[in-house]
PDB file of all heavy atoms in Angstrom:
ATOM      1  N   ARG A 535     110.252 117.830  71.349  1.00 92.00           N
ATOM      2  CA  ARG A 535     111.286 118.024  70.339  1.00 92.00           C
ATOM      3  C   ARG A 535     110.838 119.058  69.316  1.00 92.00           C
ATOM      4  O   ARG A 535     109.669 119.121  68.977  1.00 92.00           O
ATOM      5  CB  ARG A 535     111.567 116.704  69.609  1.00 92.00           C
ATOM      6  CG  ARG A 535     112.498 115.823  70.391  1.00 92.00           C
ATOM      7  CD  ARG A 535     112.982 114.658  69.549  1.00 92.00           C
ATOM      8  NE  ARG A 535     113.429 113.601  70.456  1.00 92.00           N
ATOM      9  CZ  ARG A 535     113.282 112.311  70.230  1.00 92.00           C
ATOM     10  NH1 ARG A 535     112.728 111.905  69.119  1.00 92.00           N
ATOM     11  NH2 ARG A 535     113.705 111.435  71.103  1.00 92.00           N
ATOM     12  N   ARG A 608     109.585 117.344 104.220  1.00 93.00           N
ATOM     13  CA  ARG A 608     110.074 115.981 104.110  1.00 93.00           C
ATOM     14  C   ARG A 608     110.433 115.765 102.648  1.00 93.00           C
ATOM     15  O   ARG A 608     109.637 116.062 101.765  1.00 93.00           O
ATOM     16  CB  ARG A 608     108.990 114.986 104.543  1.00 93.00           C
ATOM     17  CG  ARG A 608     109.458 113.552 104.655  1.00 93.00           C
ATOM     18  CD  ARG A 608     108.481 112.710 105.479  1.00 93.00           C
ATOM     19  NE  ARG A 608     107.107 112.873 105.036  1.00 93.00           N
ATOM     20  CZ  ARG A 608     106.603 112.301 103.939  1.00 93.00           C
ATOM     21  NH1 ARG A 608     107.350 111.534 103.185  1.00 93.00           N
ATOM     22  NH2 ARG A 608     105.348 112.493 103.592  1.00 93.00           N
ATOM     23  N   PRO A 635      97.975 117.871  83.501  1.00 93.00           N
ATOM     24  CA  PRO A 635      96.996 118.098  82.442  1.00 93.00           C
ATOM     25  C   PRO A 635      95.574 118.317  82.942  1.00 93.00           C
ATOM     26  O   PRO A 635      95.128 117.662  83.879  1.00 93.00           O
ATOM     27  CB  PRO A 635      97.042 116.788  81.637  1.00 93.00           C
ATOM     28  CG  PRO A 635      98.339 116.167  81.954  1.00 93.00           C
ATOM     29  CD  PRO A 635      98.624 116.547  83.372  1.00 93.00           C
ATOM     30  N   ASP A 644      85.933 107.192  75.034  1.00 89.00           N
ATOM     31  CA  ASP A 644      86.454 105.946  75.596  1.00 89.00           C
ATOM     32  C   ASP A 644      86.565 104.831  74.564  1.00 89.00           C
ATOM     33  O   ASP A 644      87.324 103.887  74.752  1.00 89.00           O
ATOM     34  CB  ASP A 644      85.583 105.468  76.768  1.00 89.00           C
ATOM     35  CG  ASP A 644      85.927 106.210  78.047  1.00 89.00           C
ATOM     36  OD1 ASP A 644      87.020 106.815  78.086  1.00 89.00           O
ATOM     37  OD2 ASP A 644      85.115 106.197  78.973  1.00 89.00           O
ATOM     38  N   PHE A 646      87.150 105.510  71.221  1.00 94.00           N
ATOM     39  CA  PHE A 646      87.938 105.959  70.067  1.00 94.00           C
ATOM     40  C   PHE A 646      89.128 105.020  69.905  1.00 94.00           C
ATOM     41  O   PHE A 646      89.875 104.802  70.855  1.00 94.00           O
ATOM     42  CB  PHE A 646      88.413 107.398  70.303  1.00 94.00           C
ATOM     43  CG  PHE A 646      89.281 107.942  69.197  1.00 94.00           C
ATOM     44  CD1 PHE A 646      88.741 108.275  67.970  1.00 94.00           C
ATOM     45  CD2 PHE A 646      90.650 108.111  69.399  1.00 94.00           C
ATOM     46  CE1 PHE A 646      89.555 108.784  66.953  1.00 94.00           C
ATOM     47  CE2 PHE A 646      91.466 108.620  68.386  1.00 94.00           C
ATOM     48  CZ  PHE A 646      90.909 108.951  67.165  1.00 94.00           C
ATOM     49  N   ARG A 649      94.977 106.984  68.899  1.00 95.00           N
ATOM     50  CA  ARG A 649      95.728 107.458  70.044  1.00 95.00           C
ATOM     51  C   ARG A 649      95.099 108.741  70.569  1.00 95.00           C
ATOM     52  O   ARG A 649      94.709 109.611  69.795  1.00 95.00           O
ATOM     53  CB  ARG A 649      97.169 107.716  69.593  1.00 95.00           C
ATOM     54  CG  ARG A 649      98.107 108.059  70.714  1.00 95.00           C
ATOM     55  CD  ARG A 649      99.541 108.078  70.198  1.00 95.00           C
ATOM     56  NE  ARG A 649     100.437 108.615  71.203  1.00 95.00           N
ATOM     57  CZ  ARG A 649     101.671 109.020  70.958  1.00 95.00           C
ATOM     58  NH1 ARG A 649     102.150 108.939  69.723  1.00 95.00           N
ATOM     59  NH2 ARG A 649     102.432 109.497  71.920  1.00 95.00           N
ATOM     60  N   GLU A 750      96.955 121.174 102.867  1.00 89.00           N
ATOM     61  CA  GLU A 750      95.838 121.857 102.233  1.00 89.00           C
ATOM     62  C   GLU A 750      95.816 123.371 102.472  1.00 89.00           C
ATOM     63  O   GLU A 750      95.560 124.164 101.562  1.00 89.00           O
ATOM     64  CB  GLU A 750      94.591 121.249 102.843  1.00 89.00           C
ATOM     65  CG  GLU A 750      93.392 121.232 102.005  1.00 89.00           C
ATOM     66  CD  GLU A 750      92.277 120.670 102.868  1.00 89.00           C
ATOM     67  OE1 GLU A 750      92.533 119.664 103.570  1.00 89.00           O
ATOM     68  OE2 GLU A 750      91.208 121.274 102.866  1.00 89.00           O
TER      69      GLU A 750
ATOM     70  N   ARG B1370      93.096  97.743  76.017  1.00 92.00           N
ATOM     71  CA  ARG B1370      91.936  97.247  75.280  1.00 92.00           C
ATOM     72  C   ARG B1370      92.268  95.926  74.611  1.00 92.00           C
ATOM     73  O   ARG B1370      93.378  95.731  74.147  1.00 92.00           O
ATOM     74  CB  ARG B1370      91.535  98.256  74.200  1.00 92.00           C
ATOM     75  CG  ARG B1370      90.694  99.366  74.771  1.00 92.00           C
ATOM     76  CD  ARG B1370      90.073 100.199  73.668  1.00 92.00           C
ATOM     77  NE  ARG B1370      89.731 101.502  74.222  1.00 92.00           N
ATOM     78  CZ  ARG B1370      89.815 102.639  73.556  1.00 92.00           C
ATOM     79  NH1 ARG B1370      90.212 102.644  72.307  1.00 92.00           N
ATOM     80  NH2 ARG B1370      89.489 103.767  74.140  1.00 92.00           N
ATOM     81  N   HIS B1430     100.900 108.973 102.919  1.00 92.00           N
ATOM     82  CA  HIS B1430     102.005 108.771 103.851  1.00 92.00           C
ATOM     83  C   HIS B1430     101.592 107.794 104.944  1.00 92.00           C
ATOM     84  O   HIS B1430     100.514 107.917 105.514  1.00 92.00           O
ATOM     85  CB  HIS B1430     102.392 110.118 104.481  1.00 92.00           C
ATOM     86  CG  HIS B1430     103.630 110.061 105.310  1.00 92.00           C
ATOM     87  ND1 HIS B1430     104.851 109.712 104.795  1.00 92.00           N
ATOM     88  CD2 HIS B1430     103.837 110.287 106.635  1.00 92.00           C
ATOM     89  CE1 HIS B1430     105.764 109.737 105.752  1.00 92.00           C
ATOM     90  NE2 HIS B1430     105.173 110.081 106.881  1.00 92.00           N
ATOM     91  N   ASN B1452      92.727 116.627 103.176  1.00 86.00           N
ATOM     92  CA  ASN B1452      93.633 115.618 103.721  1.00 86.00           C
ATOM     93  C   ASN B1452      93.122 115.190 105.082  1.00 86.00           C
ATOM     94  O   ASN B1452      92.549 115.988 105.820  1.00 86.00           O
ATOM     95  CB  ASN B1452      95.041 116.188 103.876  1.00 86.00           C
ATOM     96  CG  ASN B1452      95.687 116.457 102.540  1.00 86.00           C
ATOM     97  OD1 ASN B1452      95.524 115.690 101.603  1.00 86.00           O
ATOM     98  ND2 ASN B1452      96.417 117.558 102.452  1.00 86.00           N
ATOM     99  N   ASP B1479     117.442 108.392  72.621  1.00 89.00           N
ATOM    100  CA  ASP B1479     116.973 109.764  72.804  1.00 89.00           C
ATOM    101  C   ASP B1479     116.700 110.473  71.483  1.00 89.00           C
ATOM    102  O   ASP B1479     115.954 111.445  71.444  1.00 89.00           O
ATOM    103  CB  ASP B1479     117.982 110.581  73.624  1.00 89.00           C
ATOM    104  CG  ASP B1479     117.829 110.319  75.110  1.00 89.00           C
ATOM    105  OD1 ASP B1479     116.774 109.783  75.500  1.00 89.00           O
ATOM    106  OD2 ASP B1479     118.760 110.636  75.862  1.00 89.00           O
ATOM    107  N   PHE B1481     115.687 108.740  68.671  1.00 94.00           N
ATOM    108  CA  PHE B1481     114.761 107.949  67.847  1.00 94.00           C
ATOM    109  C   PHE B1481     113.537 108.811  67.539  1.00 94.00           C
ATOM    110  O   PHE B1481     112.921 109.351  68.455  1.00 94.00           O
ATOM    111  CB  PHE B1481     114.356 106.685  68.614  1.00 94.00           C
ATOM    112  CG  PHE B1481     113.356 105.825  67.892  1.00 94.00           C
ATOM    113  CD1 PHE B1481     113.738 105.076  66.786  1.00 94.00           C
ATOM    114  CD2 PHE B1481     112.034 105.767  68.309  1.00 94.00           C
ATOM    115  CE1 PHE B1481     112.816 104.277  66.116  1.00 94.00           C
ATOM    116  CE2 PHE B1481     111.102 104.972  67.647  1.00 94.00           C
ATOM    117  CZ  PHE B1481     111.498 104.221  66.547  1.00 94.00           C
ATOM    118  N   ARG B1484     107.646 106.766  68.049  1.00 95.00           N
ATOM    119  CA  ARG B1484     107.062 106.722  69.381  1.00 95.00           C
ATOM    120  C   ARG B1484     107.786 105.662  70.218  1.00 95.00           C
ATOM    121  O   ARG B1484     108.084 104.579  69.732  1.00 95.00           O
ATOM    122  CB  ARG B1484     105.581 106.367  69.240  1.00 95.00           C
ATOM    123  CG  ARG B1484     104.817 106.447  70.533  1.00 95.00           C
ATOM    124  CD  ARG B1484     103.332 106.277  70.263  1.00 95.00           C
ATOM    125  NE  ARG B1484     102.592 106.137  71.497  1.00 95.00           N
ATOM    126  CZ  ARG B1484     101.349 105.686  71.557  1.00 95.00           C
ATOM    127  NH1 ARG B1484     100.717 105.341  70.445  1.00 95.00           N
ATOM    128  NH2 ARG B1484     100.729 105.580  72.710  1.00 95.00           N
TER     129      ARG B1484
END
Side-chain angles (χ1 to χ4, degrees):
Chain A
R535 278 191 202 144
R608 188 163 50 77
D644 279 343
F646 178 72
R649 187 171 171 195
E750 209 184 316
Chain B
R1370 278 192 202 144
H1430 188 61
N1452 291 322
D1479 279 343
F1481 178 73
R1484 187 172 171 196

